[in-house]
Each structure stands twice: as structure tokens, then as C-alpha cells.
Amino acid sequence: MSQKAYITTPIYYVNDVPHIGHAYTTIIADTMARYYRLKGYETFFLTGTDEHGQKIEEAAKLRNKTPQAYADEISGKFRALWDEFEISYDKFIRTTDADHKAGVQKAFQVMFDKGDIYKGEYEGHYCVSCETFFTDTQLVDEDKCPDCGKLTRLVKEESYFFKLSKYQEDLIKWYNSDEKCVLPKGKKNEVISFVKQGLRDLSITRTSFDWGVKLPASMNDDKHVMYVWLDALLNYATALGYGTDEKNMAFWPATIHLVGKDILRFHAIYWPAFLMSLGLALPKHVAAHGWWTRNGEKMSKSKGNVVNPKEVADAYGLENFRYFMLREVPFGQDGDFSQKALMDRINSDLGNELGNLLNRIIGMSGKYSNGVVNSKDISTFHESELNAVDEILKNVESNLLELQTNRYLEELWKALSIANQAITVHEPWVKMKEGKTEQALALVALVSNILARVTVLLHPVMPKTTTTIAKAMGFEINTANFDKLVVRKDFLDEFTIEKVPPLFPRIEEELMAQPTAPVAPVVEAQPSKSTKKEHKAESIITIDQFFETSLKVGTILEASILEGSDRLLKLKVDLGEAVPRQIVAGIREYYSPEELVGTQVCVVANLKPATIKGLLSQGMLLAAKDKEGLCLVRPERPRQSGASIG
């Protein structure tokens, strides 16, 4: 019977498009799934989208769409990106799937029949944004959510409750009995501390909205829908067929549940309690990662600094992006994205260490042996280097299995350093001149075998790059060669190396525009009253804060298309200063250069200059956008260039 591995991401909530945090979670999960497959495990990798709840119902209404149509749209964007990123998932689950809903209803009935669900009335504060209930003592400033800071709603309605309090001691026993059930250790301690404060029974149904899974028909209580977190957490079981065909339940329990630290409480407290009630085995690891900032700042749409993972992958290469994400930050800690850090990883780690080693092997073997590499004399001349590499790699797997991907990659690069250093120390070119051909060729074989072992272990992180390296060195990356090169530490068979172009061309300058507030701000058309209230509550500023922004009338002197972009125009704008400003604006879809010259616009004049597509942009145009398109904000009558707007 083959060994099995079950890897899951959280299912992503369809309230927004994928961002770098989603990509980070998914890339880690994909790496783990690829590693287990490489080892020969039968592996099931699950990802998907969470589509129910009041927040989705209200978001759809604002957009004049049905909840299903809205969920279809956003879920489709997640799936399209994961497909483009070649994420190797086995199932993409949606909580609107019929078999998922059937499985959730089965679970509800099982817990109810066991006596773990009862009917009562709930009164308390509910955060729509977080889909979470809070007690009075948990609130900030009497009525704000402690997690997201938004206003909560006072809810009083009939509800079914899950006896979470019943499982408090069983949860504590689980945490204490398994050192690695929650990773990393610091997060586990936070969970234990929360549980020890005392667990209250959990309200698990709502009657104030309809967009959710209905109760089982046998309950004869149609006005209730299930709490979105009960629905969502059960996806890990329903994806394997729980409550329907059960066809993949042999993969249960999960090897790794990957989550962001903001949803750890749900996965490390509520979820195992539900599983205890259902009589299902608990997961082996619930692992929580940190958040990402950009250039040291929290990401937000208003700052225009949210990292789009597709944009990064398109600019720098998907595999380089994967390496950076997994290498840059210790698992569980917050990470910071910057182009400089990404460029340093590509140029230094990938270019100088990995790519350069392959180039040196190609060059040396080409000169010394017509490209032929034979491993027969490695042990004779290089036992010390082999032992050093063995020592490094013998514990490398434990880092990966505990999600410490940065440590895993650090260790692989230590092995590469031994290979590169061996070339410097042993100087095979000198040995060739001295007639010590066997020693020179043994050195080439040594570094080739070190590279081969690292290539196999790097494969889950950079599958395409490593496939290219392996092909050049005459072997395939598969379970048999994992066993041969990594487990048994055998050497490569004799091969003739293929020449390949440099894998990591040096990057000298940033390939993406620096973050700035949006070039053409979007103003939502006709928001509902409830939206206006929420926006006002979140966005109130003082008059002094308003006047920190310098708005001026500008006259467009020149306008031209920016080559290589279907969105950007390069403008020369007179703001009444000694020298006109250069502004790069994303308005080409709506305006031709010819119709802009000589017209006036409103400009944010005191924005920090940004580099966009290699050009300095010294301001931002104001614009409004709705379903009819975008239009620039302009003075009603001509005004002097540089006139203040206030």
C-alpha cells in the first residue's frame, strides 16, 4: 500500500482578486505536493474558493450581480492564475459545488444527532468583513472589530449553536500530545493561550441572509443558512468525498493544512473541534504563515502598493518569483517584497551560484573531455567534499517538512558553495596543464554530482529550471533518481553534457514601476447608502490633512504613446513652474495624444516621483471611472497653469 500525502491551502474568499499572500500560500503548498510526489507518495493537493456569506451577498448586490455570478467571476480569476502559474492541484473546490453542500449537510446532521448542536438565540456583535462574532470585551472602541477595525453590527436572531466548550479539554490534550500539530511553535502557544481563556459555544447558523448552505432537509428549518466558517472548514473533507461518494477519503487526515496567521484560530480550534465531533482523525500539521509588506509598508489599495503576483512573474519570471518567495522569509514571520531584494536573489543566488556552476561544468567538460563526464574517480580524489555535502543534505528534508523553506534552500545553497569552492581550490585547469587529467576530470564529475543532487531537491521549488538542468546533464527528475541520487547517494551515469543558454541573465534595473497611488483613480458610480456610510466611517480626514495634498491646474503641452504599453501615455504638463512636468498616465484606452494637447487637467502635484516603465513620472492626473468608462477631471473654464485647486 503506497504512502499518501494530503496537502491543502485555505480556500480563498471571493471578496477580491488574488494577491501576493494568496500566491505565497499556494506556492508553498505546490512545493510540498511536488516534493511528496517526487518521493513516491500518492499525493492529493487541494485548493479552491470560499464563496458563501453575508459579505459576498452584499458585494454582489453593490455590483448589480447575483451572488453566484459574482462568485463565478472571482473564483474564475483564482483558478486562471493558478493554472497560469502551473500549480499542480488535484482538485479546485468551490463551496458552491453541489457535492460540497451535500457533504456539509451530512456533517451538520451527524453533529446534531450526536448532541453537539442545539437551537437557541444569539445576540452579539458581528463583523461582516471577517464573518466573525465578537464579545463586548473583544471589541475595540466599543463597536469595532478587533481584527480588521471595521464597525460591527449588533445581531439578535435565532441560531443553532455548536458545543465548542465541550471540546476545550480535548483540544488542550491534542496540543500537548503533538509537538508539531500547529506550526510554528510560537503560533501554537498563541492558540493554547486563547483556548485556556475559555471557549464559548459557537453560533453556526444565520437567518438574516440567504447566501449560504441550507440546513439538511430533515431539520425542516429552511430559514437558516450555515455559518460561513462551518461551511468553509468542511471543504477539506468534502473535497475527498465526505458525505457523498467517499472515494478519496483514504487520503484523510491532511498531512499539511496551510493557512495565513489571521485565520489560524478557525483552523486550529474550530476545525479540530468539528472533526472530533464527526469522529474524523485530526490533521498532522496546521501551519500558519505571516503576511507580506512592500518596501517595509503595509499593502493597501489606497497606497497603490498591492503586489500583483502575475505582474511580478511576468516581469521577473515565475520560477525566480517562486524561489524568492520561499527563500526570503522564515515561515511564520512576516515578509517584505521589494524589487531590489528580488533582483539580489536572482543575480546572486540563482545567477552567481546555481547558473554559474552549470556554466562552469559545461565549459570545463567541453575543454577537457569533449563534454563527457564520468563519475568513476570521484571517491578517490574528493572524499572530503562528498562527506561535507552528505552532512549538509542529511537533515535538509526536516526543514521542508516543517515548512521552513528558507532553511531548506539555505542548506541546498551551502552544497552549491562547496562545489563552487572546490573548483577554486583544486584549479582543474592547472591540473590539465600538469598532465593530471584524471584528477581534473574527477573534479568536474564531483561538482556535476553535487549539482545533480541539489537539482533534484530543488525541483519542487523550480520545476522547469531544474528540468532544464537535468536534461543538460543526461538524467530525468523522477522518484527513481530521487532514490538513486538523494537517498542512496549514488553517482550519475556517464553523460555528455548539453550546452544551454545562461539560465539567469543578470538584471541591472528594476523591471516594474515603483508603487504609487493609482495613475487614474477610480470613483465608484452611485454607491448605495450603506456603502457611503461605511466609506465615510473609514475615510474621515481633517481639513489640515486635506490641504497636505497639492492639487493644481495643469496644461498638457505634449502627449505621446509610450512604446511597449497599451495603457500608458507620456505627457509634458505645464504647472506654472520653470520646467514642465513629465507625467506617465494610464489613459491611452480613453484618450488619444492628439486630443489631449492644449487641454487642461487637474494634477496631484506633491506626489513622490515614481519610475514607470523606466520613465520618471512627476505627478498624477485626477480621473473618475464608472461602467461607462473613464474621464479626466478638468476645470470648468480655462485657468492659469499652476492655479491651486481647493
PDB file of all heavy atoms in Angstrom, residues 74 129 138 180 279 415 479 525:
ATOM      1  N   ILE A  74     -15.011  35.899  -9.577  1.00  0.00           N
ATOM      2  CA  ILE A  74     -13.793  35.992  -8.778  1.00  0.00           C
ATOM      3  C   ILE A  74     -13.126  34.624  -8.640  1.00  0.00           C
ATOM      4  O   ILE A  74     -11.901  34.506  -8.735  1.00  0.00           O
ATOM      5  CB  ILE A  74     -14.084  36.585  -7.384  1.00  0.00           C
ATOM      6  CG1 ILE A  74     -14.785  37.941  -7.523  1.00  0.00           C
ATOM      7  CG2 ILE A  74     -12.800  36.733  -6.596  1.00  0.00           C
ATOM      8  CD1 ILE A  74     -13.981  38.995  -8.256  1.00  0.00           C
ATOM      9  N   SER A 129     -17.120  41.827   7.508  1.00  0.00           N
ATOM     10  CA  SER A 129     -15.876  41.695   6.758  1.00  0.00           C
ATOM     11  C   SER A 129     -15.123  40.430   7.133  1.00  0.00           C
ATOM     12  O   SER A 129     -14.613  39.714   6.277  1.00  0.00           O
ATOM     13  CB  SER A 129     -14.977  42.914   6.997  1.00  0.00           C
ATOM     14  OG  SER A 129     -13.784  42.822   6.258  1.00  0.00           O
ATOM     15  N   GLN A 138     -14.127  41.831  23.596  1.00  0.00           N
ATOM     16  CA  GLN A 138     -13.169  41.712  22.498  1.00  0.00           C
ATOM     17  C   GLN A 138     -13.161  42.939  21.594  1.00  0.00           C
ATOM     18  O   GLN A 138     -12.198  43.166  20.862  1.00  0.00           O
ATOM     19  CB  GLN A 138     -13.498  40.478  21.643  1.00  0.00           C
ATOM     20  CG  GLN A 138     -13.241  39.147  22.343  1.00  0.00           C
ATOM     21  CD  GLN A 138     -13.702  37.980  21.496  1.00  0.00           C
ATOM     22  OE1 GLN A 138     -14.859  37.914  21.079  1.00  0.00           O
ATOM     23  NE2 GLN A 138     -12.799  37.048  21.233  1.00  0.00           N
ATOM     24  N   LYS A 180       4.104  19.144  17.003  1.00  0.00           N
ATOM     25  CA  LYS A 180       4.076  19.834  15.708  1.00  0.00           C
ATOM     26  C   LYS A 180       2.685  19.904  15.093  1.00  0.00           C
ATOM     27  O   LYS A 180       2.543  20.129  13.898  1.00  0.00           O
ATOM     28  CB  LYS A 180       5.049  19.148  14.743  1.00  0.00           C
ATOM     29  CG  LYS A 180       6.494  19.212  15.218  1.00  0.00           C
ATOM     30  CD  LYS A 180       7.427  18.447  14.290  1.00  0.00           C
ATOM     31  CE  LYS A 180       8.860  18.485  14.817  1.00  0.00           C
ATOM     32  NZ  LYS A 180       9.780  17.684  13.968  1.00  0.00           N
ATOM     33  N   GLY A 279     -15.928  12.489  14.493  1.00  0.00           N
ATOM     34  CA  GLY A 279     -15.203  11.230  14.625  1.00  0.00           C
ATOM     35  C   GLY A 279     -14.136  11.041  13.573  1.00  0.00           C
ATOM     36  O   GLY A 279     -13.745   9.901  13.277  1.00  0.00           O
ATOM     37  N   ALA A 415      25.551  23.468  -0.217  1.00  0.00           N
ATOM     38  CA  ALA A 415      26.131  22.402  -1.048  1.00  0.00           C
ATOM     39  C   ALA A 415      26.673  22.976  -2.356  1.00  0.00           C
ATOM     40  O   ALA A 415      27.750  22.576  -2.819  1.00  0.00           O
ATOM     41  CB  ALA A 415      25.079  21.326  -1.328  1.00  0.00           C
ATOM     42  N   THR A 479      11.078   9.755  -9.283  1.00  0.00           N
ATOM     43  CA  THR A 479      11.227   9.087  -7.988  1.00  0.00           C
ATOM     44  C   THR A 479      12.434   8.150  -7.978  1.00  0.00           C
ATOM     45  O   THR A 479      13.151   8.059  -6.971  1.00  0.00           O
ATOM     46  CB  THR A 479       9.941   8.309  -7.651  1.00  0.00           C
ATOM     47  OG1 THR A 479       8.840   9.235  -7.617  1.00  0.00           O
ATOM     48  CG2 THR A 479      10.050   7.623  -6.304  1.00  0.00           C
ATOM     49  N   ALA A 525     -19.325  54.527  -9.263  1.00  0.00           N
ATOM     50  CA  ALA A 525     -20.541  55.243  -9.634  1.00  0.00           C
ATOM     51  C   ALA A 525     -21.695  54.848  -8.721  1.00  0.00           C
ATOM     52  O   ALA A 525     -21.955  53.669  -8.514  1.00  0.00           O
ATOM     53  CB  ALA A 525     -20.911  54.916 -11.082  1.00  0.00           C
TER      54      ALA A 525
END
